[in-house]
């Protein structure tokens, strides 16, 4: 039976706009018939996989997500090394085509547009190295690649971001990878009202006798909330995606958990500096069918002690499920900054253990 690791996090962000909608306002969602502040799972995953927590110990096992990789990894180095534009372009097209369908349109402002794939492609670190080695060979021999040489996609993967969050190649489905990690949208546990920050910018060289007005007027939406986030990881699938490398699985689980607990999305951080550590982290491990505890917050919390009341609700909901479904996890670990229970170091050791 599969082993699942579930993370339940409560994280409070001060007034901010970490994740914006198409109008530039903080994202929201309806839950329990009330508006809640929201941070999308896509925003969270990108913040985590590009964080120092990932790169400090796993920099050799992180891929890249791009649709213009052929332009910068193939075409540009070949041109920089004196290869003709025709050979460089054809080489870039052949290599990019292995990863996805190329753009058809041509832009007069950017003649290299058709070197890009239509969709973003997640490329593993090994595939990046293979591209570089092939390009170096093509430069030394001043030629285009053969059909066999451009077969760079690998079923074997060692990039932790691809192993965790998956890869979908619509035109190369044999090389798609199922995600071992599922991440919920982070939702506020209380009702939210989006506020507007009206601001001005002053020209430092203004002569107040002539012009005392502002040089710029602007408006920005913001809000604050305590967020509940749920993360579910299939340890067995993660191990399979990482080719049975148990040591790398343990490093990956530690890096993901630390990132989820400490890393905030980067949206408008320079304006709000809303960086937060998780106040409460519940880690559950076991072969039981996973379940979120989001139902604890369908009735929004209205209290003066939001953090502690949210923790109480979460633990009560956990116990309710245990009572009617039986024990929903084989083992658990709690980090609670409000009571001083647990430590991050111990939590990372726990999440990595089989």
């Amino acid at each position: 039976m599969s082993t699942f690791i579930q993370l339940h996090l409560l994280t409070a962000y001060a007034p901010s706009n970490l994740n914006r909608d198409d109008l530039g306002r903080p994202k929201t969602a309806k839950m329990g018939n009330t508006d809640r502040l929201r941070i999308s799972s896509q925003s969270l995953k990108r913040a985590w996989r590009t964080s120092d927590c990932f790169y400090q110990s796993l920099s050799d096992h992180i891929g890249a997500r791009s649709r213009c990789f052929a332009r910068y990894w193939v075409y540009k180095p070949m041109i920089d090394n004196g290869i003709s534009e025709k050979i460089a372009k054809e080489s870039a097209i052949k290599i990019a085509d292995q990863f996805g369908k190329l753009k058809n349109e041509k832009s007069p402002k950017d003649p290299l547009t058709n070197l890009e794939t239509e969709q973003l492609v997640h490329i593993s670190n090994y595939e990046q190295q293979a591209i570089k080695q092939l390009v170096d060979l093509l430069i030394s021999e001043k030629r285009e690649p053969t059909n066999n040489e451009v077969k760079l996609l690998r079923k074997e993967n060692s990039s932790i971001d691809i192993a965790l969050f998956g890869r979908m190649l619509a035109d190369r489905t044999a090389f798609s990878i199922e995600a071992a990690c599922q991440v919920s949208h982070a939702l506020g546990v209380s009702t939210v009202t989006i506020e507007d920050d009206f601001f001005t910018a002053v020209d430092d060289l203004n002569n107040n006798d002539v012009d005392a007005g502002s040089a710029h007027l602007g408006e920005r939406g913001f809000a604050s909330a305590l967020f509940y986030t749920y993360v579910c990881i299939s340890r067995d699938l993660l191990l399979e995606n990482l080719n049975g490398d148990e040591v790398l699985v343990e490093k990956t689980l530690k890096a993901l958990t630390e990132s989820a607990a400490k890393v905030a999305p980067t949206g408008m951080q320079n304006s709000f500096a809303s960086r937060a550590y998780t106040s409460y982290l519940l880690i559950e491990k076991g072969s039981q069918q996973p379940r979120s505890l989001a139902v604890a917050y369908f009735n929004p919390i209205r209290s003066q002690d939001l953090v502690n009341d949210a923790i109480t609700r979460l633990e009560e909901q956990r116990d309710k499920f245990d009572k009617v479904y039986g024990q929903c996890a084989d083992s658990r670990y709690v980090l609670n900054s409000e009571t001083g229970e647990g430590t991050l170091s111990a939590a990372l050791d726990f999440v990595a253990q089989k």
Side-chain angles (χ1 to χ4, degrees), residues 63 82 85 151 160 211 217 282:
E85 183 171 351
K151 294 178 179 178
I160 62 170
D211 183 5
L217 303 176
L282 168 63

Short mmCIF file of all heavy atoms in Angstrom, two decimals, residues 63 82 85 151 160 211 217 282:
data_model
loop_
_atom_site.label_atom_id
_atom_site.label_comp_id
_atom_site.label_asym_id
_atom_site.label_seq_id
_atom_site.Cartn_x
_atom_site.Cartn_y
_atom_site.Cartn_z
N GLY A 63 15.32 21.17 -12.00
CA GLY A 63 15.15 21.42 -13.42
C GLY A 63 14.83 22.87 -13.72
O GLY A 63 14.93 23.75 -12.85
N GLY A 82 30.55 31.55 -33.25
CA GLY A 82 30.86 31.70 -34.67
C GLY A 82 30.15 30.75 -35.61
O GLY A 82 30.51 30.69 -36.79
N GLU A 85 24.18 31.38 -38.78
CA GLU A 85 22.81 31.53 -38.27
C GLU A 85 21.93 30.38 -38.76
O GLU A 85 21.07 29.90 -38.02
CB GLU A 85 22.23 32.86 -38.72
CG GLU A 85 20.83 33.11 -38.16
CD GLU A 85 20.32 34.51 -38.42
OE1 GLU A 85 21.12 35.35 -38.88
OE2 GLU A 85 19.13 34.74 -38.17
N LYS A 151 17.31 13.11 -29.58
CA LYS A 151 16.43 12.37 -28.68
C LYS A 151 16.93 12.52 -27.25
O LYS A 151 17.58 11.63 -26.70
CB LYS A 151 16.35 10.91 -29.10
CG LYS A 151 15.67 10.72 -30.46
CD LYS A 151 15.63 9.27 -30.89
CE LYS A 151 14.93 9.13 -32.24
NZ LYS A 151 14.90 7.72 -32.71
N ILE A 160 14.09 17.08 -8.62
CA ILE A 160 13.11 16.97 -7.55
C ILE A 160 11.84 17.77 -7.83
O ILE A 160 10.75 17.36 -7.43
CB ILE A 160 13.72 17.40 -6.19
CG1 ILE A 160 14.14 18.86 -6.22
CG2 ILE A 160 14.87 16.49 -5.81
CD1 ILE A 160 14.52 19.41 -4.86
N ASP A 211 5.98 73.71 -8.23
CA ASP A 211 5.18 72.50 -8.38
C ASP A 211 5.30 71.66 -7.11
O ASP A 211 6.31 71.00 -6.90
CB ASP A 211 5.66 71.70 -9.59
CG ASP A 211 4.81 70.47 -9.83
OD1 ASP A 211 3.80 70.30 -9.11
OD2 ASP A 211 5.15 69.67 -10.72
N LEU A 217 0.38 59.07 -9.02
CA LEU A 217 -0.70 58.63 -8.15
C LEU A 217 -1.01 57.17 -8.47
O LEU A 217 -0.99 56.76 -9.63
CB LEU A 217 -1.97 59.47 -8.38
CG LEU A 217 -1.85 60.98 -8.19
CD1 LEU A 217 -3.17 61.64 -8.56
CD2 LEU A 217 -1.49 61.31 -6.76
N LEU A 282 1.07 20.49 11.20
CA LEU A 282 0.73 19.12 11.55
C LEU A 282 1.19 18.22 10.41
O LEU A 282 0.78 18.42 9.26
CB LEU A 282 -0.78 18.97 11.76
CG LEU A 282 -1.33 17.54 11.84
CD1 LEU A 282 -0.75 16.79 13.04
CD2 LEU A 282 -2.87 17.55 11.87
#
